Amino acid sequence: MSSQITARVESDKSKVTLVIEAGFDPGQLTPILLRSVAAEVGVEITPAVEQAIAACMASYTPGDDPVEAQIASWTEPEHGVDGWIEWAEGFDPTDSDVDSHSDTDADAAADGDGSETTDTGSTDHYAGTHYVSVRPDDVLGCLHEPTPGADGLDVLGNCLKAIPGKPSPIKLHSSVRLESDGRIVSVLEGVISLKGNTLEIVQQLPIADCVDFSTGHIDFAGSVIIKNAIRTGFNVHAEQDIQVGGLIEASEIVCGGDLTAKQGMAGKGRGTVQVGGDVDATYLEDVSGLIAGDLKFRNSLIGCDLKVGGDVDGSSGVIRGGTLYVGGVFQVKSLGSSSSPVTEVHLGRDPKLQELLERTQAMVETTNAALTGKQAQYDQLSAFKNPSDADRARMGELLAEIQGTQGVLARAQGAIEQTHKRIHEAGTLDVQVSGQIFPAVTLVVGEQRLTFKSAITGPISVFWNDERQVVYKIGSTGETRAIELITDISPYEPAAAA
């Protein structure tokens, strides 16, 4: 009889199916019979199996075809979950939508495409790779440990071992620390780097080749080291130093520390620098900007408009054309040329004070224009023999505005005079030209423009004597002479020069 009822076990022992041959007499179908058939193949008779057998009997109807009923199924193992990092909002280095901190890891600039889609749907191929900036004790996320999982059972009662989760593949560098509660906390100030499955706070960003369409603009909280060039139109901003192994083309360079341009910078009239420290370059051409510290160049400075707060050391180089403000010592091999545009060097002036002076003078010019307009309105209204009440009210408003503007101008003029005084007192005049000064080169010292009448062969020094008069000396042992012997002197008008 049992030959008409069999139990089929799946090869993976995931389920057991009773097969009742066609035409089997329902009266012979008993729980004992079905349990024995199941037990013959090794099925453990559990309450669940008992319920399945009862259901099979209740639903059995003989027919022309065999009847199949599943009476047992396995308990699948619950495999463990691998360890993972739950990033705190704004600190996920893999998230392209990071808002306030930025959106990729600190090494993507060397490998990836920095382009992004604008709000209008167009692609900005110059758009840069951004970085997730952090400070000490920022909580970057939480490290979740792997779970062990739960074992299962097959239909024969054999244990199905669960696969435990693996630890997170991300290793933690010493620049981050793991708290006992799983929090990941930054130790340093810098930028998150996730490279080679190592989480690190880096303070230096290496660019393996050029800054171009492969990187987009660079904006980094630490220092940036670029192996090759910075291509035209791409900007590099760094809170610390920037070092460039190749040529810097027409780009915007901003750094809080020093700039090293090993192959120089060809600005093409569009290149700008804003440097909080020193600049060391092979040459600079058609570059404008502000250098808070010292400037050292080896070959040439051509057509630049630069304000340098410290010393300028071009003792092996030449300066041709452009305007240069120097706050400290000025050394150059050759100044000007027979064919270049006018070369003008402002000396004895702190460039930051000079910039403040120029901004104040520009404000005075704008305010004067506004005052002239208000005065014209007032004069027009006051010419009426019988002004209306509205006219009288407007005249009162204009008079108050005119008086207020005059007060502003008076204070601004006082600030200009005070800034002139600070420039005069804080200035340094120490010019050393080892080679030649060409005709038409102009030195601006204090309130005077000193334009060289003819070529002067050095070494020549220009400085203040004890009476704070501008003098010069040829050679180290030459006689000190008045500067007017070799230059034409004219008044310097800052507003016009600015």
Side-chain angles (χ1 to χ4, degrees):
M1 182 182 299
S2 63
S3 61
Q4 293 180 277
I5 302 175
T6 58
R8 184 177 69 240
V9 180
E10 299 297 324
S11 60
D12 60 359
K13 298 181 178 61
S14 62
K15 64 180 180 179
V16 176
T17 304
L18 284 178
V19 180
I20 305 174
E21 296 297 329
F24 186 81
D25 181 5
Q28 304 297 319
L29 197 64
T30 66
I32 295 175
L33 175 61
L34 296 182
R35 281 198 297 269
S36 66
V37 171
E40 286 177 3
V41 294
V43 175
E44 182 180 2
I45 307 302
T46 65
V49 172
E50 292 275 15
Q51 291 179 1
I53 288 174
C56 174
M57 292 179 57
S59 62
Y60 174 69
T61 301
D64 296 333
D65 298 312
V67 175
E68 296 188 359
Q70 182 177 317
I71 61 168
S73 62
W74 67 0
T75 301
E76 292 187 65
E78 294 182 9
H79 298 305
V81 177
D82 291 345
W84 58 289
I85 290 179
E86 180 182 3
W87 298 104
E89 184 176 357
F91 288 102
D92 184 351
T94 66
D95 184 359
S96 61
D97 295 322
V98 169
D99 189 7
S100 60
H101 295 276
S102 309
D103 62 3
T104 50
D105 68 87
D107 304 282
D111 320 307
D113 181 358
S115 65
E116 63 183 38
T117 303
T118 66
D119 292 339
T120 61
S122 61
T123 300
D124 180 3
H125 294 285
Y126 287 84
T129 299
H130 303 288
Y131 308 95
V132 185
S133 300
V134 298
R135 294 183 177 181
D137 297 322
D138 277 347
V139 178
L140 311 183
C142 182
L143 176 63
H144 293 270
E145 296 294 336
T147 61
D151 294 341
L153 292 172
D154 67 17
V155 293
L156 304 184
N158 299 314
C159 179
L160 299 175
K161 297 294 292 183
I163 301 173
K166 299 177 181 178
S168 168
I170 297 178
K171 309 300 181 185
L172 302 184
H173 185 264
S174 59
S175 56
V176 297
R177 69 175 183 270
L178 182 64
E179 303 286 9
S180 59
D181 60 1
R183 288 180 303 144
I184 301 171
V185 179
S186 61
V187 174
L188 303 176
E189 180 174 4
V191 172
I192 296 179
S193 167
L194 187 56
K195 182 178 181 182
N197 280 337
T198 297
L199 178 64
E200 180 180 1
I201 307 302
V202 298
Q203 296 176 303
Q204 190 178 86
L205 173 67
I207 304 297
D209 196 357
C210 297
V211 174
D212 53 19
F213 289 107
S214 68
T215 64
H217 302 310
I218 301 295
D219 191 348
F220 189 70
S223 297
V224 179
I225 299 178
I226 301 163
K227 183 177 181 180
N228 291 322
I230 301 176
R231 300 302 186 195
T232 294
F234 291 93
N235 305 329
V236 178
H237 294 190
E239 292 184 11
Q240 297 181 23
D241 301 336
I242 296 176
Q243 181 177 311
V244 186
L247 178 66
I248 304 174
E249 297 178 5
S251 306
E252 178 184 276
I253 307 299
V254 178
C255 63
D258 299 336
L259 169 64
T260 302
K262 293 184 177 180
Q263 297 297 322
M265 181 171 183
K268 302 177 183 177
R270 292 175 288 147
T272 62
V273 295
Q274 184 173 328
V275 179
D278 302 333
V279 172
D280 187 336
T282 300
Y283 81 96
L284 300 174
E285 183 173 353
D286 294 330
V287 176
S288 62
L290 174 66
I291 301 167
D294 300 335
L295 167 61
K296 182 176 181 179
F297 66 94
R298 279 169 290 285
N299 291 351
S300 59
L301 209 64
I302 301 175
C304 293
D305 184 357
L306 294 170
K307 295 179 173 66
V308 182
D311 300 339
V312 172
D313 181 1
S315 52
S316 62
V318 301
I319 297 178
R320 297 174 182 168
T323 302
L324 185 64
Y325 290 82
V326 183
V329 177
F330 178 56
Q331 301 179 71
V332 67
K333 180 178 180 181
S334 177
L335 187 57
S337 76
S338 58
S339 59
S340 69
V342 173
T343 304
E344 185 170 282
V345 182
H346 294 244
L347 300 152
R349 292 173 176 268
D350 183 327
K352 291 183 179 178
L353 289 176
Q354 180 65 30
E355 199 167 35
L356 174 62
L357 177 64
E358 292 174 1
R359 285 202 304 268
T360 307
Q361 289 168 335
M363 184 272 288
V364 167
E365 184 176 343
T366 302
T367 306
N368 264 323
L371 177 61
T372 300
K374 291 174 184 177
Q375 187 66 57
Q377 291 181 53
Y378 181 83
D379 292 343
Q380 184 178 15
L381 291 173
S382 63
F384 295 154
K385 292 182 178 180
N386 297 305
S388 65
D389 291 341
D391 290 338
R392 289 193 185 92
R394 180 56 182 153
M395 288 171 65
E397 292 173 357
L398 286 169
L399 185 59
E401 292 175 5
I402 289 169
Q403 291 172 343
T405 303
Q406 288 172 336
V408 170
L409 286 171
R411 290 191 295 274
Q413 193 58 47
I416 288 174
E417 292 173 2
Q418 190 64 29
T419 305
H420 272 301
K421 182 179 179 181
R422 290 173 61 194
I423 288 174
H424 179 74
E425 292 173 348
T428 298
L429 181 60
D430 186 351
V431 178
Q432 301 170 29
V433 181
S434 60
Q436 188 173 27
I437 300 178
F438 283 82
V441 166
T442 297
L443 305 181
V444 177
V445 182
E447 306 305 319
Q448 295 180 320
R449 298 174 63 87
L450 314 175
T451 303
F452 285 84
K453 303 174 185 179
S454 59
I456 301 293
T457 300
I460 177 174
S461 303
V462 178
F463 52 95
W464 279 310
N465 64 13
D466 293 339
E467 288 76 38
R468 205 172 174 83
Q469 297 170 329
V470 182
V471 295
Y472 76 97
K473 181 169 66 174
I474 302 292
S476 58
T477 59
E479 180 183 354
T480 299
R481 298 183 177 184
I483 196 68
E484 53 262 36
L485 295 176
I486 56 173
T487 64
D488 290 324
I489 300 178
S490 59
Y492 169 62
E493 300 177 3

